[in-house]
């Protein structure tokens, strides 16, 4: 039974998709905790309703990134995670933090990485005039929104799209690919070797 710790900052719809898939598909895993850097993150309520332990490490109350990351790491590790899942966790993490979880920390980013790292990815895609956009699940490395890609999903960019319309279309796909990647990991079918993603396909 693998322990998953999910980090959120807000709505938590990706966390919710993972919790629902775990429950429906009976993965060999449990959500050990949902942790937020914001006390008012909506997703905490869903976690609590599902009997999942929650914790808040308020990023605003720390003087430096290093201090916040150290405190966060202590709370995460108290839940003995096999996997840390960043699900709309809107904080840049320091290199020592990321290295501590090397090979066992995933993120979802709403673009077809390496395109459009950072914020406002849907507007970035519209401004760039791409015809296709999407989302990427990747292992986290010290470089923001980089790291070996596990799975991507694409959606078309349609005439008249606004950033909001595009984000809704991408989110539907996020809710499919993130549970898929987490499931592969907890079934020991997803790992990283020499900076390359290794996926063992079912026969
Ligand atoms: C998601 O679209 C996720 O891909 C994005 O934030 C949203 C969180 O939604 N993450 C990032 O932009 C990270 N760089 P959610 O809280 O409903 O899962």
């Amino acid at each position: 039974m693998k322990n998953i710790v999910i980090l959120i900052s807000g709505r938590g719809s990706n966390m919710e998709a993972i919790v629902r898939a775990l429950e429906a598909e009976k993965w060999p895993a449990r959500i050990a905790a949902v942790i937020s850097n914001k006390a008012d993150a909506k997703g905490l309520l869903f976690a609590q309703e599902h009997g999942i332990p929650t914790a808040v490490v308020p990023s605003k109350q720390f003087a430096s990134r290093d201090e916040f990351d150290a405190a966060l790491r202590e709370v995460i590790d108290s839940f003995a995670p096999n996997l840390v899942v960043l699900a709309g966790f809107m904080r840049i993490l320091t290199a020592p933090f990321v290295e501590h979880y090397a090979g066992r920390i995933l993120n979802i980013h709403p673009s077809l990485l390496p395109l459009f790292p950072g914020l406002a990815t849907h507007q970035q895609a519209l401004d760039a005039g791409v015809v296709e956009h999407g989302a990427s699940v990747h292992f986290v490395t010290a470089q923001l929104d980089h790291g070996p890609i596990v799975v991507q999903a694409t959606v078309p960019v349609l005439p008249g799209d606004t950033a909001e319309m595009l984000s809704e279309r991408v989110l539907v796909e996020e809710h499919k690919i993130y549970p898929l990647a987490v499931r592969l990991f907890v079934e020991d079918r997803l790992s990283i070797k020499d900076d390359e993603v290794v996926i063992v396909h079912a026969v």
Side-chain angles (χ1 to χ4, degrees):
M1 190 60 94
K2 299 266 198 309
N3 284 333
I4 303 170
V5 169
I6 305 181
L7 304 192
I8 63 169
S9 294
R11 178 178 57 183
S13 71
N14 277 288
M15 175 268 300
E16 197 174 319
I18 291 166
V19 170
R20 290 192 192 284
L22 180 150
E23 287 174 352
E25 298 168 8
K26 308 212 179 332
W27 300 351
R30 63 188 183 110
I31 309 298
V34 171
I35 301 172
S36 175
N37 64 313
K38 292 189 170 179
D40 61 354
K42 278 211 182 100
L44 291 171
L45 298 176
F46 173 88
Q48 283 155 8
E49 281 162 16
H50 280 248
I52 299 167
T54 59
V56 176
V57 183
S59 40
K60 276 198 177 148
Q61 289 179 18
F62 292 84
S64 70
R65 236 178 244 295
D66 285 329
E67 284 169 71
F68 170 70
D69 280 10
L72 180 62
R73 179 175 146 171
E74 206 174 304
V75 176
I76 294 172
D77 285 351
S78 72
F79 294 100
N82 300 96
L83 177 66
V84 176
V85 171
L86 307 183
F89 187 65
M90 305 307 276
R91 292 279 311 179
I92 294 173
L93 296 162
T94 58
F97 179 96
V98 170
E99 272 149 30
H100 178 68
Y101 298 106
R104 54 187 180 117
I105 180 166
L106 293 172
N107 181 43
I108 190 157
H109 183 76
S111 78
L112 295 173
L113 290 172
L115 293 176
F116 316 132
L119 297 174
T121 57
H122 308 299
Q123 192 58 51
Q124 287 192 59
L126 290 175
D127 293 347
V130 293
V131 295
E132 237 178 20
H133 183 46
S136 309
V137 176
H138 64 98
F139 279 99
V140 176
T141 55
Q143 203 182 348
L144 180 70
D145 298 332
H146 280 69
I149 289 168
V150 177
V151 54
Q152 292 184 310
T154 58
V155 301
V157 179
L158 302 176
D161 263 352
T162 61
E164 196 186 339
M165 288 155 77
L166 198 47
S167 85
E168 281 170 17
R169 198 174 304 128
V170 170
L171 196 64
V172 172
E173 301 306 314
E174 292 186 43
H175 295 167
K176 296 177 193 164
I177 61 172
Y178 216 2
L180 174 72
V182 174
R183 180 178 179 166
L184 286 172
F185 190 95
V186 299
E187 290 181 344
D188 286 328
R189 292 161 60 201
L190 168 64
S191 59
I192 189 155
K193 193 166 181 259
D194 302 329
D195 290 333
E196 300 273 347
V197 169
V198 182
I199 295 177
V200 178
H201 293 280
V203 280

